[in-house]
Amino acid sequence: MVVVFRASRNTKTAADYYAGGRAFTGPQNGIAISGDYLSAASFLGIAGAIAVYGYDGFLYSIGFLVAWLVALLLVAELLRNTGKYTMGDVLSFRMRERPVRTAASLSTLAVTFFYLLAQMAGAGGLVALLLGIHSKAGQALVIAVVGALMIVYVLVGGMKGTTWVQIIKAALLIAGAFVMTLWVLGLYGFNLSGLLGDAANVAGGDSVLNPGAQYGKTETSKIDFVSLGIALVLGTAGLPHVLMRFYTVPTAKEARRSVVWAIWLIGLFYLFTLVLGYGAGALVGPDTIKDAPGGVNSAAPLLALELGGPLLLGFIAAVAFATILAVVAGLTITASASFAHDIYANVIKKGQIDDKNQEVKIARITAVVIGIVSILGGIAANGQNVAFLVALAFAVAASANLPTLLYSLFWKRFNTTGALWSIYGGLAVTIALIVFSPAVSGSEDAMFPSLDFAWFPLKNPGLISIPVSFLLGYLGTVLSKDKADEAKYAEMEVRSLTGTGAEKAVSH
């Protein structure tokens, strides 16, 4: 809170509120990106998945990490050169502005909502474990408190405050995971084989060391895993709160540097989760983890309790709590910026805003509304595995955002109709397949286990929804009578590849 209030003293203009005044260096932004990315899903969800499922759980983190190469090679620098504050800036650069901005904003809100659900559910599970709250009402109260704190962060600090919170939180999280990793390895004389062997003994067999514990039982589950992997690898480059981070640096070179820093930090962290997950499996035991309040998400805190007693548990829980707060603040500012900048300023007001502070005022009101909606959604999703909920957010990002972004940046013929078909089609197909999947109904671990309206067999829709979205973008472009603006495309190509003209547009 102190950091956020200090940062807020310099938050005056829209550029300050949305992009932190573009005052962050590549390394600072890289640490903040890793803070944004290493959410409750990475820390609580993946460590839990490895503790219970072993090898299959670790594959989540591989998907999350490889995804950064797609972001680095295809998106980071081009986006920084072409846009101003949001993904809608890039997509509307050479299209009809109002319909495309509306579509981009709705897609951003959808991705943000799924991601916020995951963080809120993580908060409920974490505090349930910490305070021994087993009642749903108590956990709902905790989620409401997290939501209220997050709203204050965003209203007061804007992007500058949120970024500093991310930097501090990333440092704490990586340091905490590093200490626990050394501790676990130290107990086994720094012999990784001894740790893995012990984890296998406690689990009652080698299933945690081999593929298939979570995804190998049926042919459908194997296909489901491929679907999940595709969504994770392609989703990062379409996540609005990660894309928006590229606007907080002054140049495209710094945007590139920030991604390289993020890759190193995130890669290191996922190696720690491998040790923490198997350590929790060996020292706490999969059955104890499943039975704890918060379920699979409680593996890392329980391991901390086993290693260092209440003090270490308190520190790790505080770090996890800061993780959730920082990530939800980053998500909320992205969604509120998208609504205020794309829909209010450019669609409703058609870019004619007399009072420059009016746009920031609308962003702040939107942040409050998003906060309230995410609290209610988090209460409904409480008890779900957070890593799985985040995978759904990635599926929406990979289906609705990424095809449109890539077509806009690289395909000369791409036009407004193609963009709208791709965004709305990808969004509709993904959400429809999620609603009618075993994740929502028809199975014991579904959101509504007592209902059964699941006809789509896969829990993650990426395998179907991503190709469908690419196809719709292509068909919309080819079948429509819209003519692509070739002069605008040429300008966009030069700007995206060289950065020429980008600084002028930004200062304007």
Side-chain angles (χ1 to χ4, degrees), residues 31 34 37-38 42-43 46 50 58 61-62 64-66 68 170-171 173-182 185 259-277:
I31 298 168
S34 65
Y37 200 68
L38 297 174
S42 295
F43 186 42
I46 291 176
I50 293 171
F58 186 58
S61 49
I62 299 295
F64 282 135
L65 181 60
V66 171
W68 275 105
L173 182 63
I174 292 168
F178 177 62
V179 168
M180 281 176 67
T181 301
L182 284 182
L185 287 173
V259 178
V260 173
W261 268 78
I263 289 174
W264 277 103
L265 291 171
I266 293 164
L268 200 61
F269 181 81
Y270 284 141
L271 287 176
F272 296 159
T273 59
L274 181 66
V275 176
L276 297 182

Side-chain angles (χ1 to χ4, degrees), residues 11 78 90 100 163 179 270 332 352 442 506:
T11 300
L78 306 180
V90 179
V100 172
T163 301
V179 168
Y270 284 141
T332 306
Q352 307 299 314
V506 163

Side-chain angles (χ1 to χ4, degrees), residues 42 60 66 94 124 134 239 333 353 374 381 429 480 494-495:
S42 295
Y60 263 111
V66 171
R94 61 191 187 96
H134 289 265
L239 285 177
I333 198 164
I353 297 183
S374 65
V429 168
S480 77
V494 170
R495 180 183 290 191

Side-chain angles (χ1 to χ4, degrees), residues 3 23 53 172 385 452 482-483:
V3 169
Y53 300 112
L172 282 173
N385 183 337
D452 187 1
D482 265 2
K483 281 279 178 279

Side-chain angles (χ1 to χ4, degrees), residues 133-147:
I133 301 172
H134 289 265
S135 73
K136 287 287 181 191
Q139 292 180 22
L141 179 66
V142 167
I143 289 171
V145 171
V146 171

Side-chain angles (χ1 to χ4, degrees), residues 175-363:
F178 177 62
V179 168
M180 281 176 67
T181 301
L182 284 182
W183 200 323
V184 170
L185 287 173
L187 291 177
Y188 288 91
F190 292 92
N191 180 352
L192 188 60
S193 297
L195 168 63
L196 296 178
D198 208 7
N201 292 337
V202 173
D206 285 349
S207 61
V208 290
L209 302 180
N210 297 317
Q214 188 177 9
Y215 291 107
K217 294 182 177 67
T218 62
E219 289 306 312
T220 306
S221 69
K222 289 176 186 173
I223 297 170
D224 209 353
F225 174 70
V226 173
S227 187
L228 169 75
I230 290 172
L232 294 182
V233 169
L234 297 180
T236 299
L239 285 177
H241 68 293
V242 170
L243 298 179
M244 198 167 164
R245 282 249 151 259
F246 298 133
Y247 298 127
T248 63
V249 290
T251 63
K253 183 185 175 191
E254 292 298 312
R256 268 201 317 275
R257 279 182 74 200
S258 59
V259 178
V260 173
W261 268 78
I263 289 174
W264 277 103
L265 291 171
I266 293 164
L268 200 61
F269 181 81
Y270 284 141
L271 287 176
F272 296 159
T273 59
L274 181 66
V275 176
L276 297 182
Y278 277 117
L283 299 170
V284 181
D287 295 334
T288 312
I289 292 166
K290 284 185 203 166
D291 294 339
V296 174
N297 303 325
S298 59
L302 283 174
L303 176 63
L305 182 63
E306 183 72 28
L307 291 174
L311 273 178
L312 187 59
L313 170 63
F315 174 73
I316 292 302
V319 168
F321 200 71
T323 296
I324 291 164
L325 265 178
V327 173
V328 289
L331 286 163
T332 306
I333 198 164
T334 303
S336 62
S338 179
F339 181 84
H341 181 65
D342 290 329
I343 292 184
Y344 177 77
N346 288 292
V347 175
I348 297 171
K349 292 288 187 180
K350 301 180 185 173
Q352 307 299 314
I353 297 183
D354 302 329
D355 180 7
K356 287 291 176 196
N357 293 328
Q358 184 66 22
E359 192 179 315
V360 175
K361 214 175 286 175
I362 295 293

